[in-house]
């Protein structure tokens, strides 16, 4: 049977710890994305400044990038679950701080409230610098190698489920419960993540990961491995540049408030649309993984992402915009599954934390720096022109990469997966 058709679509879900991890991952995604939508809308209501939205991404990505490589080193040499628990505790504390600030709005200036939001986002970025590499490197240890590809698809599917429910709920929670009530819901979800972590056993550190080399040598080893493994480097680089230039998530409050004029409820729908597209695409890929001719599929998916972004940029109709965002998520999900599968199979166990941290830096750079880039470009040239320029840049980049990576078109990721079966 060809690997293009999955042998057991539910194989990864047979493992209880993986199920607990997925539930926790969903709640974590929901909580942070709900908080992101809430604070973005709050800041834009106060400032009406696109640059203020871009600074949210910058406030998170700077501490994350600064610490992620160290987080990867410690994830390879320490108890991954404990690192996640400590990091999550800091995130919960930060969310309580944000809630407290929202309850004091009547007695403090709007500027102080905005600075508090940026400070909380900064603390969350610091914590994610340790949480994300630990979580990414723990995940492959929860299932055997023969179901890695299936686990990658389910992992992405659960993430997308959280990415649908979180932003979708955020708009309605903000509209009906207000700022404080919405933030209280976020905190409840974060405590749910902590409970899920208790259902995952402590994992021993792989013997090869324990060494007497300095932390700088350890970090260098992880970086060198990524840059010398062409398929990993190209896969994460394509994701970086496509989302960096083509992403529009950060400036959706501008479209909701000023262009489409649909308010907080409409913002929730717009923010959830890419994830709905991704979830439907993931459901299809559970049965038909895109690993036959993987590199070709990756290039097509990113080109489709750029075209859908361009359609969104020129649309003035709410539902056309929703459909365009739906397809950005559907195309992006293909690249996510391919990239995660590549990382799982081309990374040694003893280096998963460090390689995951490098990948995390690329992903966060595309998301958070992309958010900053979107805010700056919208401020400089206008919201719609900035989206069109970014979409065009994405199409140019994927074309250049396609011309320079023809050898990867022959690579059979599916064959490597089958050889592990």
């Amino acid at each position: 049977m060809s690997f293009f058709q999955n042998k057991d679509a539910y194989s990864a879900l047979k493992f209880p710890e993986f199920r607990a991890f997925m539930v926790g991952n969903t709640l974590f995604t929901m909580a942070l994305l709900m908080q992101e939508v809430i604070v973005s809308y709050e800041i834009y209501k106060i400032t009406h400044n696109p640059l203020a939205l871009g600074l949210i991404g910058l406030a998170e990505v700077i501490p994350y990038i600064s610490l992620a490589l160290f987080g990867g080193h410690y994830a390879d040499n320490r108890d991954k679950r404990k690192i996640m628990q400590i990091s999550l505790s800091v995130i919960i504390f930060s969310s309580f701080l944000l809630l407290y600030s929202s309850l004091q709005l009547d007695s403090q200036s709007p500027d102080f409230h905005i600075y508090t939001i940026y400070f909380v986002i900064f603390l969350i970025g610091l914590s994610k610098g340790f949480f994300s590499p630990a979580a990414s490197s723990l995940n492959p240890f929860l299932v055997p190698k023969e179901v890695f590809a299936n686990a990658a698809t389910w992992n992405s599917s659960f993430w997308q489920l959280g990415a649908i429910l979180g932003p979708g709920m955020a708009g309605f929670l903000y509209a009906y419960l207000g700022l404080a009530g919405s933030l209280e819901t976020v905190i409840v979800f974060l405590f749910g993540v902590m409970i899920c972590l208790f259902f995952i056993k402590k994992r021993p550190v792989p013997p090869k990961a324990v060494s007497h080399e300095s932390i700088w040598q350890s970090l260098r080893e992880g970086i060198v491995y990524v840059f010398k493994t062409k398929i990993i480097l190209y896969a994460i680089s394509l994701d970086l540049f496509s989302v960096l230039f083509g992403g529009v998530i950060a400036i959706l409050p501008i479209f909701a408030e000023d262009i489409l004029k649909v308010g907080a409820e409409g913002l929730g729908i717009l923010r959830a649309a890419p994830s709905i597209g991704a979830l439907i695409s993931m459901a299809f890929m559970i049965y038909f993984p895109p690993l036959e001719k993987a590199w070709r599929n990756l290039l097509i998916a990113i080109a489709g992402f750029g075209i859908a972004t361009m359609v969104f940029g020129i649309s003035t109709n709410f539902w056309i915009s929703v459909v365009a965002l739906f397809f950005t998520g559907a195309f992006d999900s293909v690249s996510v599954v391919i990239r995660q599968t590549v990382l799982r199979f081309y990374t040694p166990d003893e280096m998963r934390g460090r390689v995951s941290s490098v990948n995390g830096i690329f992903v966060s750079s595309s998301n958070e720096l992309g958010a900053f880039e979107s805010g700056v470009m919208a401020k400089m040239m206008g919201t719609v022109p900035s989206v069109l320029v970014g979409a065009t840049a994405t199409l140019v980049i994927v074309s250049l990469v396609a011309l320079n990576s023809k050898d990867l078109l022959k690579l059979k990721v599916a064959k490597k997966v089958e050889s592990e079966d």
Side-chain angles (χ1 to χ4, degrees):
M1 180 184 294
S2 169
F3 186 79
F4 200 64
Q5 197 166 12
N6 205 329
K7 299 172 183 177
D8 184 353
Y10 304 96
S11 53
L13 296 182
K14 294 177 181 178
F15 299 90
E17 289 183 301
F18 181 75
R19 294 199 300 268
F21 185 92
M22 290 297 94
V23 172
N25 185 43
T26 304
L27 292 174
F28 185 76
T29 302
M30 287 178 64
L32 291 192
L33 290 182
M34 284 171 62
Q35 193 160 266
E36 177 187 316
V37 172
I38 292 164
V39 300
S40 296
Y41 194 66
E42 178 75 6
I43 284 180
Y44 190 70
K45 279 183 61 180
I46 295 173
T47 66
H48 287 277
N49 185 349
L51 184 58
L53 295 176
L55 290 174
I56 294 175
L58 195 64
E60 181 173 348
V61 76
I62 289 178
Y64 178 86
I65 289 178
S66 300
L67 290 180
L69 287 176
F70 296 96
H73 168 79
Y74 285 109
D76 281 336
N77 291 276
R78 299 288 188 275
D79 179 1
K80 298 172 178 58
R81 189 188 68 165
K82 187 173 182 180
I83 292 173
M84 293 172 66
Q85 290 171 328
I86 294 172
S87 303
L88 182 59
S89 297
V90 177
I91 293 174
I92 292 173
F93 168 78
S94 302
S95 298
F96 269 114
L97 183 61
L98 186 59
L99 174 61
Y100 177 78
S101 177
S102 71
L103 294 172
Q104 303 298 316
L105 276 175
D106 294 336
S107 59
Q108 66 185 17
S109 69
D111 286 345
F112 183 82
H113 182 54
I114 291 174
Y115 293 145
T116 301
I117 291 175
Y118 287 136
F119 177 68
V120 166
I121 297 299
F122 180 85
L123 287 179
I124 291 175
L126 289 175
S127 302
K128 286 177 66 178
F130 288 94
F131 184 94
S132 296
S136 297
S137 58
L138 175 63
N139 192 357
F141 289 97
L142 304 179
V143 296
K145 285 188 174 182
E146 59 266 22
V147 298
F148 270 10
N150 184 251
T153 305
W154 279 111
N155 183 50
S156 300
S157 299
F158 273 77
W159 187 92
Q160 295 295 348
L161 178 63
I164 292 170
L165 297 176
M169 290 174 61
F172 291 100
L173 287 172
Y174 187 96
Y176 296 105
L177 297 182
L179 179 60
S182 304
L183 294 176
E184 288 169 356
T185 306
V186 169
I187 293 171
V188 170
F189 283 8
L190 290 174
F191 274 110
V193 180
M194 187 69 78
I195 292 171
C196 289
L197 290 178
F198 284 107
F199 288 92
I200 299 173
K201 297 176 183 178
K202 178 180 177 181
R203 287 298 190 284
V205 177
K208 292 182 181 179
V210 181
S211 68
H212 298 291
E213 64 183 5
S214 72
I215 186 172
W216 301 108
Q217 290 173 314
S218 173
L219 298 182
R220 181 179 179 277
E221 184 182 6
I223 295 171
V224 168
Y225 182 83
V226 169
F227 277 83
K228 77 177 183 182
T229 310
K230 191 174 181 180
I231 188 170
I232 292 180
L233 178 63
Y234 274 34
I236 62 179
S237 296
L238 268 176
D239 180 81
L240 165 65
F241 290 111
S242 63
V243 179
L244 178 63
F245 294 114
V248 296
I249 297 300
I251 55 176
L252 285 183
I254 304 175
F255 280 90
E257 191 75 5
D258 298 338
I259 296 176
L260 301 173
K261 301 184 185 302
V262 291
E265 294 92 336
L267 174 61
I269 295 172
L270 290 171
R271 188 63 179 78
S275 297
I276 295 174
L279 190 63
I280 293 175
S281 178
M282 293 286 182
F284 180 81
M285 287 187 288
I286 287 170
Y287 295 94
F288 301 98
L291 301 182
E292 197 80 27
K293 300 182 180 178
W295 193 251
R296 182 206 65 179
N297 293 339
L298 181 62
L299 295 172
I300 291 173
I302 294 176
F305 176 86
I307 293 170
T309 301
M310 189 170 290
V311 171
F312 173 78
I314 62 177
S315 170
T316 56
N317 178 276
F318 175 66
W319 291 111
I320 292 177
S321 299
V322 170
V323 171
L325 288 173
F326 172 94
F327 279 105
T328 63
F331 285 120
D332 185 54
S333 66
V334 177
S335 69
V336 169
V337 167
I338 294 174
R339 188 180 73 250
Q340 286 195 359
T341 304
V342 165
L343 285 171
R344 285 168 182 260
F345 276 97
Y346 287 86
T347 305
D349 283 347
E350 68 273 11
M351 294 185 66
R352 291 196 182 277
R354 284 164 288 176
V355 173
S356 294
S357 68
V358 175
N359 175 61
I361 288 174
F362 275 68
V363 172
S364 288
S365 296
S366 64
N367 292 331
E368 276 72 38
L369 283 182
F372 179 66
E373 180 269 343
S374 297
V376 171
M377 294 294 285
K379 180 71 172 178
M380 291 176 58
M381 63 175 60
T383 303
V384 171
S386 71
V387 173
L388 298 180
V389 169
T392 302
T394 298
L395 294 174
V396 170
I397 289 167
V398 74
S399 299
L400 292 174
V401 171
L403 292 173
N404 288 278
S405 61
K406 293 181 180 179
D407 55 322
L408 292 181
L409 292 172
K410 302 175 183 178
L411 191 66
K412 300 292 185 181
V413 176
K415 296 297 184 183
K416 181 169 180 63
V417 174
E418 286 181 333
S419 70
E420 298 285 349
D421 197 336

